[in-house]
Amino acid sequence: MTRARVRTLDNVSIPALVSFLTGINQILTLPITSTFFSYIVRPKLTIPFPLANRSDVVRATKSWEFYLQRARARLVKAYLLLSKGIDDEAGEEAWRATVDALNAISVALWGYEVRSHYGLSKLVTELYNLRIVDIRAEFGNAAVLHKNFYHIHLDSRIIEANINKVEGLI
């Protein structure tokens, strides 16, 4: 990027830019997102991390790209397990992919990793309340897959449909 372009970005409305870039699809498709978040958006993001005082939230030691890459790998593994007929484990792997995707968002915006189920639920609610992204339904689908791992009650077609929703999240 040229120096003139950076000055132009500084003059753009940061809230509008954050709203645009934090949509799940945009995070996944923009190759310059990492640089953009690190040097332009995060330093100017004035929204404090709403869960910073929780004991199940820690400063991230890995980049958001790490979590996103691991989420994608886990989703591939979920589909592989599903194709082998190991439905409960496929659903659990999709749940893990969801956790990583949520942590990718949290790390990209605030630099924090959330380590509990309840904390993740609170993060999803806060992302919605802050009008950053609405992924409540996708999180609910993934939570059902996680529950199914311990109390098997879902048909393989339902599991497949829910894993497809997780793919939409990632």
Side-chain angles (χ1 to χ4, degrees):
M1 282 170 75
T2 65
R3 189 175 187 105
R5 255 193 143 87
V6 172
R7 283 190 192 135
T8 303
L9 287 173
D10 284 340
N11 296 329
V12 173
S13 169
I14 296 299
L17 220 39
V18 169
S19 176
F20 172 75
L21 287 175
T22 53
I24 300 299
N25 292 332
Q26 287 80 15
I27 286 177
L28 300 178
T29 58
L30 291 176
I32 63 165
T33 306
S34 175
T35 303
F36 189 81
F37 268 116
S38 298
Y39 298 105
I40 298 172
V41 174
R42 189 184 290 158
K44 295 182 181 182
L45 188 64
T46 58
I47 303 170
F49 185 57
L51 307 176
N53 295 326
R54 293 180 54 85
S55 63
D56 56 350
V57 174
V58 297
R59 276 280 179 199
T61 58
K62 298 180 174 93
S63 70
W64 68 268
E65 294 100 332
F66 168 82
Y67 291 103
L68 189 57
Q69 183 180 16
R70 191 166 68 176
R72 289 177 177 159
R74 286 182 166 172
L75 187 62
V76 168
K77 185 176 178 183
Y79 279 119
L80 179 65
L81 290 167
L82 192 62
S83 72
K84 292 180 178 182
I86 311 172
D87 301 336
D88 54 336
E89 288 184 36
E92 182 66 8
E93 204 61 35
W95 163 254
R96 292 177 187 138
T98 302
V99 170
D100 283 336
L102 289 171
N103 274 316
I105 294 170
S106 179
V107 170
L109 292 176
W110 295 292
Y112 286 95
E113 176 187 355
V114 181
R115 293 189 172 174
S116 76
H117 296 78
Y118 183 70
L120 291 166
S121 176
K122 295 296 285 179
L123 175 63
V124 169
T125 301
E126 289 299 326
L127 289 170
Y128 172 75
N129 290 341
L130 294 170
R131 298 175 190 252
I132 293 173
V133 65
D134 185 6
I135 50 175
R136 295 171 298 166
E138 292 84 351
F139 180 75
N141 283 323
V144 167
L145 291 171
H146 180 55
K147 181 179 178 183
N148 187 67
F149 182 71
Y150 297 99
H151 306 285
I152 298 172
H153 62 282
L154 297 177
D155 178 77
S156 63
R157 290 184 183 177
I158 295 172
I159 292 172
E160 181 179 10
N162 282 356
I163 291 174
N164 290 338
K165 294 291 185 184
V166 169
E167 182 178 16
L169 169 70
I170 296 172

